[in-house]
Amino acid sequence: AQTVTQSQPEMSVQEAETVTLSCTYDTSESDYYLFWYKQPPSRQMILVIRQEAYKQQNATENRFSVNFQKAAKSFSLKISDSQLGDAAMYFCAYRSLYAGGTSYGKLTFGQGTILTVHP
Amino acid sequence: DTAVSQTPKYLVTQMGNDKSIKCEQNLGHDTMYWYKQDSKKFLKIMFSYNNKELIINETVPNRFSPKSPDKAHLNLHINSLELGDSAVYFCASSQDISGMVQYFGPGTRLLVL
C-alpha cells in the first residue's frame, strides 16, 4: 500500500517571500500521479497542482511549482511571492496510474502542513 | 453556481442517533466520493460511486451506507452514531472514474455528543 508523509506540521512565510513544503511517498509502482491540494479556513479542498510521474519536467501553475524527485520519492511544493490568501492547510496526495477495481481513482493523502503567511 | 454542495454544513447530534448528509454536484460528473477528515486533519476516502455504482468501499463500519439516487447525488447515511464518528465529511466529484481531478464540497462538520 502507498503512504504519503508530510513531515512539516506547520510552516510560516513572510508575504512576498518563497516557501517550500515537503512531501515524501512510498510506493512500489513506477507510474502514478501526485497532487497538492489546498484547504483554506473555508474547509473546501482545492487542487493546486498535479504531476505525472512519467514526466520529468516539473509542473508549474503560476506562483506554484513542484520539485519532483522520482528516485528519492520526493514531491515538494514551492510557493513564490507568497500572498496572504495562500494561508491554508496543504495536502500532498498520491494516485496510482493503473489502480483498478476497488482502488480505482483512490487518492491517498498526507497529514497536511499548515501554512501561515505573515504580512 | 456551486459546483459541489453539501447539506448540512454543521450537524450536532447525540450518540445512537441516525443521520444523513446530502451531496449534490452540478458539474455533470460521473463519479462521486465521500472522504472523512478526522480531528488530526487526516483525510481518508470512504466510498466512491460511478454512475450510481459502488466502486471504492474502504474499511468502513457498515453503519455507514452511501446512497446514490442518480449520478448527481451521493448521500451518506450513518446509523447508531458513535463519538468516534465526529469528523468533517467531504463529498467530491470527478469527471470520470479515473478521478484525476477531484472537486471537493465545503464539508460537513459532524459532532456526536
Side-chain angles (χ1 to χ4, degrees):
Chain A
Q2 295 81 24
T3 58
V4 178
T5 302
Q6 294 176 247
S7 58
Q8 306 156 317
E10 297 184 37
M11 291 285 284
S12 63
V13 63
Q14 290 292 133
E15 201 175 0
E17 298 290 308
T18 296
V19 65
T20 299
L21 308 184
S22 300
C23 173
T24 58
Y25 56 94
D26 186 26
T27 184
S28 58
E29 299 173 336
S30 58
D31 289 318
Y32 44 86
Y33 296 94
L34 296 165
F35 306 84
W36 278 99
Y37 276 86
K38 170 185 177 181
Q39 186 179 40
S42 66
R43 292 206 310 256
Q44 191 150 358
M45 298 278 286
I46 304 164
L47 178 65
V48 175
I49 200 165
R50 176 179 89 190
Q51 174 81 42
E52 290 86 351
Y54 56 86
K55 290 186 178 178
Q56 293 188 343
Q57 188 171 4
N58 288 324
T60 299
E61 287 286 341
N62 300 313
R63 297 181 296 106
F64 298 87
S65 62
V66 299
N67 183 4
F68 174 48
Q69 301 288 328
K70 191 172 183 180
K73 296 180 182 173
S74 169
F75 182 61
S76 60
L77 175 70
K78 185 170 90 170
I79 306 174
S80 305
D81 186 25
S82 297
Q83 300 175 358
L84 295 178
D86 295 334
M89 189 149 192
Y90 287 81
F91 290 91
C92 178
Y94 173 102
R95 181 201 178 279
S96 296
L97 178 63
Y98 299 115
T102 59
S103 292
Y104 206 31
K106 175 182 173 181
L107 290 176
T108 300
F109 287 89
Q111 308 94 314
T113 297
I114 298 172
L115 177 65
T116 302
V117 181
H118 298 290
Chain B
D1 60 346
T2 304
V4 182
S5 59
Q6 296 178 226
T7 53
K9 286 191 175 179
Y10 299 95
L11 186 53
V12 181
T13 188
Q14 300 288 328
M15 270 175 50
N17 284 349
D18 303 339
K19 291 293 179 185
S20 292
I21 306 172
K22 296 185 176 181
C23 178
E24 177 181 1
Q25 54 94 3
N26 62 6
L27 297 166
H29 288 171
D30 287 342
T31 310
M32 296 183 73
Y33 310 80
W34 276 111
Y35 287 86
K36 178 181 179 180
Q37 187 175 39
D38 62 24
S39 58
K40 296 183 179 179
K41 303 294 187 184
F42 188 60
L43 192 65
K44 190 172 181 183
I45 191 164
M46 300 172 69
F47 304 101
S48 76
Y49 268 72
N50 185 62
N51 274 325
K52 303 193 296 177
E53 180 186 351
L54 180 65
I55 302 299
I56 295 175
N57 185 358
E58 292 290 286
T59 308
V60 176
N62 56 16
R63 297 182 295 103
F64 291 78
S65 54
K67 294 219 172 15
S68 183
D70 55 60
K71 73 175 193 178
H73 296 84
L74 180 62
N75 304 322
L76 183 64
H77 189 76
I78 315 171
N79 290 328
S80 303
L81 278 156
E82 301 178 356
L83 295 177
D85 298 333
S86 295
V88 181
Y89 292 85
F90 287 95
C91 177
S93 73
S94 62
Q95 187 168 8
D96 55 39
I97 196 174
S98 70
M100 283 304 303
V101 179
Q102 297 185 20
Y103 295 82
F104 283 75
T108 295
R109 184 179 293 277
L110 171 65
L111 179 60
V112 182
L113 302 175

